[in-house]
Amino acid sequence: MPDKIVHDVWRPLLAFCGLAVAISWILWLPLVVAGVGAGGPIRYLHLLGGLGPAVAAIACAWWFGGRPALCLIMRRGVLWQVPLRWHLVAWLAPFVLLAVALVGASIVAGETLATPFARNQEFPDLPLLAYWIVVLVCYGFGEEIGWRGFALPLLQKRFSPAIATLILTFIWAMWHLPLFWFSPGLSSLGLGGTIGWFASLLTGAAILTWLTNATRGSILLAAVFHTTMDLAFSPSISPLATTLIGAAVTVWGIAALAGLLLPSRATAVTLPLKEIGQR
């Protein structure tokens, strides 16, 4: 049994993590050297690095699971035939929270309603629609094919959704480490801000686990939700609105995490892998 557990979870998981980190960190290395505010074409390495988990997941799914695992990930990547409520959660919920936060900030502090969809400061040359598309491709699908498409189903073969989410959150956080040297948002965080960032990552992971399991493993909706959350947390909105939407998402994430603590292994999405010796 211990050998099978190693094969079922840790061996493919370690291979996936190593490959995802290697791909992303190599692409981000020039940005780490350049530091915050790197300009020119080099800044687009941040976007390309987001594809590391997807490439690693596809490679490891084929190696450890063969054609069945690879085909399953591909099917989940375009799985859109789920109840309408889950589409509403993925496509609209972050923007509804954003609207409520902006109105709340206006009422409480008299702040003028900000335009949340200004051009991104890190990629000012990209038109707004082009930026949304690359965020969906590089951060949405680029990350979620790996995190919720491969790693989460793999972990849920041996752990409850709650424990799998906690393990995955630590992996997800580790993968982000180079961004603390060049990303304008993360590089300015102190200890307290870093703890808050990890807490937000955990609540976001809980929501994504809940959404993934509820939609029979739809990577499409996980990628869309990842994207809409990134756009809703635009740095162009007011500090108070950012605090309000962060608080709302935290409450939502805690509720999702509490739900994951319930006996829900029967609905947890998993990933088929080959037996030892087949590779």
Side-chain angles (χ1 to χ4, degrees):
M1 182 61 72
D3 287 341
K4 184 170 177 55
I5 291 175
V6 169
H7 172 72
D8 278 351
V9 176
W10 301 118
R11 205 172 113 200
L13 184 66
L14 289 173
F16 162 74
C17 292
L19 187 56
V21 165
I23 294 171
S24 297
W25 288 17
I26 288 172
L27 287 168
W28 289 339
L29 181 59
L31 290 170
V32 171
V33 174
V36 179
I42 190 177
R43 68 166 70 104
Y44 293 100
L45 290 174
H46 186 180
L47 293 169
L48 291 177
L51 298 172
V55 175
I58 291 170
C60 290
W62 175 81
W63 183 256
F64 289 101
R67 185 182 180 89
L70 187 57
C71 289
L72 181 58
I73 285 181
M74 293 175 66
R75 288 197 301 271
R76 288 175 176 168
V78 294
L79 178 57
W80 63 273
Q81 292 177 309
V82 300
L84 178 61
R85 63 182 179 275
W86 303 119
H87 280 282
L88 295 177
V89 168
W91 293 90
L92 297 179
F95 296 132
V96 171
L97 290 178
L98 172 62
V100 171
L102 288 173
V103 172
S106 176
I107 294 173
V108 172
E111 295 181 354
T112 303
L113 293 181
T115 302
F117 302 126
R119 289 198 178 188
N120 183 265
Q121 297 176 357
E122 189 175 3
F123 307 104
D125 297 335
L126 286 178
L128 192 58
L129 180 58
Y131 175 68
W132 289 358
I133 292 172
V134 296
V135 168
L136 175 62
V137 172
C138 296
Y139 299 156
F141 283 103
E143 292 192 45
E144 294 309 326
I145 290 174
W147 307 136
R148 259 53 65 169
F150 184 84
L152 178 65
L154 184 64
L155 286 165
Q156 290 186 150
K157 286 174 68 69
R158 288 293 169 186
F159 302 103
S160 69
I163 297 300
T165 298
L166 184 60
I167 295 172
L168 182 55
T169 301
F170 279 99
I171 297 171
W172 198 12
M174 177 195 68
W175 176 80
H176 279 88
L177 285 179
L179 275 66
F180 282 85
W181 278 267
F182 69 83
S183 173
L186 295 183
S187 62
S188 60
L189 295 179
L191 177 60
T194 301
I195 294 172
W197 169 80
F198 180 81
S200 70
L201 213 62
L202 177 59
T203 55
I207 296 171
L208 281 162
T209 296
W210 167 68
L211 180 63
T212 300
N213 287 337
T215 58
R216 306 190 312 277
S218 175
I219 298 171
L220 171 63
L221 289 195
V224 168
F225 183 76
H226 189 137
T227 302
T228 53
M229 283 297 297
D230 280 353
L231 296 176
F233 275 99
S234 167
S236 64
I237 64 177
S238 72
L240 178 57
T242 300
T243 300
L244 291 175
I245 192 174
V249 172
T250 299
V251 172
W252 187 9
I254 292 173
L257 189 59
L260 296 179
L261 292 174
L262 299 175
S264 54
R265 291 288 293 272
T267 59
V269 174
T270 58
L271 190 70
L273 296 178
K274 294 185 176 183
E275 296 297 331
I276 295 175
Q278 285 188 275
R279 275 283 179 189

